[in-house]
Amino acid sequence: MNFIKTTEQDSNYNDLEKMSINEIITLINKEDQTVPLAVEKALPQIQALIAQVVSKLKSGGRLFYLGAGTSGRLGILDASECPPTFGVPHDLVIGLIAGGDNAIRKAVENAEDSTSQGWLDLQAHHISNKDIVIGIAASGTTPYVISALEKSNEHNIITGCITCNHNSPLSLTAQFPIEIIVGPEFLTGSSRMKAGTAQKLVLNMITTTAMIQLGKVKGNKMVDMQLSNDKLVNRATKMIMTELNISEAEAAILLSKHKNVRDSITHGRK
């Protein structure tokens, strides 16, 4: 297999401990600026996977993210922000991490090396071919993720992945791979840096685009967001004021009654 793990290659910089603070952050920033350009090259792959996600969600399926370490945490972050942002159920987008919830805060030794636990974690959520699974792994070699995608393929479940190496075992396993080739990290092998940033950018695209396609956005506003704090209530009130051209007091009354921006606008027009 022609596979070069660029995420593990030696940094373009040396003697980091001899650098000043300004030198370090300037070079990190220089490297970070290459990440969006790497993502741009993968836009056709990203589009293909999102089309599958939208199709499954529209048909009543769910989106699963599966990862270990930083990759797993990023998937959980994206999944956990969908309900408050778009007003969707908590089990529509589900993030799973090797080692379970304890691994969100603390590393769980050897959890990512399991070749069975990933599929068991999916089965705990009664995974079916209505759903779609996206494996996230910067290296593209994480057994926990690869084995879960292999089992998903066997059960006719659509699979995708986000990785930062070309032709990795994970890419070759996923039906819809996304490869963001960011190159060596500033700190050799620290894939929480450029690779993690690349993964976050792609995850932003996946759920934001999918939710727009599902009708969870009106114009450019989050009209189905949960009103979980004063900031969001104020934002919602302003949306209603602008949309209906009414006073703040009138908008507040509508929002208090209907508890949702979309419903407030709909009833306000009647």
Side-chain angles (χ1 to χ4, degrees):
M1 181 176 63
N2 184 22
F3 172 50
I4 299 173
K5 198 185 293 188
T6 56
T7 53
E8 297 291 336
Q9 288 185 333
D10 207 42
S11 171
N12 293 320
Y13 312 95
N14 207 344
D15 298 323
L16 305 187
E17 72 279 11
K18 297 179 181 178
M19 293 181 182
S20 67
I21 292 174
N22 186 61
E23 287 173 322
I24 292 170
I25 63 174
T26 297
L27 293 175
I28 290 176
N29 179 246
K30 179 182 177 181
E31 289 296 313
D32 286 346
Q33 289 178 43
T34 68
V35 177
L37 299 177
V39 172
E40 182 181 25
K41 293 178 181 177
L43 286 178
Q45 294 179 325
I46 297 169
Q47 178 183 353
L49 179 53
I50 292 176
Q52 295 296 319
V53 171
V54 171
S55 176
K56 288 297 183 181
L57 295 185
K58 282 186 174 180
S59 300
R62 299 166 294 173
L63 167 59
F64 286 87
Y65 292 134
L66 202 75
T70 298
S71 298
R73 294 181 189 102
L74 287 169
I76 289 170
L77 172 64
D78 194 65
S80 67
E81 291 181 342
C82 286
T85 305
F86 301 108
V88 297
H90 285 275
D91 61 352
L92 184 68
V93 184
I94 299 170
L96 300 175
I97 185 170
D101 286 353
N102 288 337
I104 297 173
R105 290 182 177 273
K106 296 180 180 179
V108 176
E109 295 297 328
N110 303 319
E112 69 176 55
D113 297 329
S114 173
T115 56
S116 59
Q117 191 60 49
W119 177 243
L120 290 174
D121 289 347
L122 289 171
Q123 284 184 305
H125 290 270
H126 306 289
I127 187 88
S128 77
N129 59 11
K130 293 181 180 180
D131 305 316
I132 183 167
V133 179
I134 298 178
I136 313 171
S139 67
T141 60
T142 308
Y144 172 84
V145 178
I146 296 168
S147 59
L149 263 62
E150 289 173 342
K151 280 290 188 181
S152 296
N153 289 337
E154 291 175 13
H155 287 78
N156 297 315
I157 299 167
I158 297 295
T159 57
C161 76
I162 307 170
T163 182
C164 295
N165 283 309
H166 183 55
N167 281 337
S168 69
L170 181 59
S171 296
L172 298 177
T173 300
Q175 298 165 30
F176 292 89
I178 295 173
E179 297 177 326
I180 313 296
I181 312 304
V182 296
E185 297 285 2
F186 173 77
L187 178 62
T188 299
S190 183
S191 54
R192 69 187 181 88
M193 300 186 76
K194 289 193 299 181
T197 300
Q199 291 169 342
K200 181 65 169 69
L201 291 176
V202 175
L203 291 167
N204 288 348
M205 290 180 174
I206 292 172
T207 45
T208 303
T209 305
M211 295 303 162
I212 292 171
Q213 294 285 302
L214 289 172
K216 295 297 179 181
V217 171
K218 179 175 175 58
N220 58 15
K221 302 296 192 298
M222 299 179 289
V223 293
D224 286 322
M225 66 182 180
Q226 294 178 355
L227 307 177
S228 55
N229 57 49
D230 289 343
K231 179 191 73 174
L232 296 179
V233 170
N234 291 335
R235 182 187 297 170
T237 302
K238 290 176 182 177
M239 287 187 206
I240 298 166
M241 290 171 60
T242 301
E243 192 70 23
L244 298 178
N245 193 26
I246 60 177
S247 69
E248 182 176 355
E250 291 171 311
I253 291 171
L254 281 170
L255 188 62
S256 177
K257 181 178 180 180
H258 299 290
K259 311 298 183 184
N260 174 272
V261 174
R262 183 191 300 277
D263 292 343
S264 297
I265 292 171
T266 299
H267 287 280
R269 286 205 171 109
K270 291 182 179 179

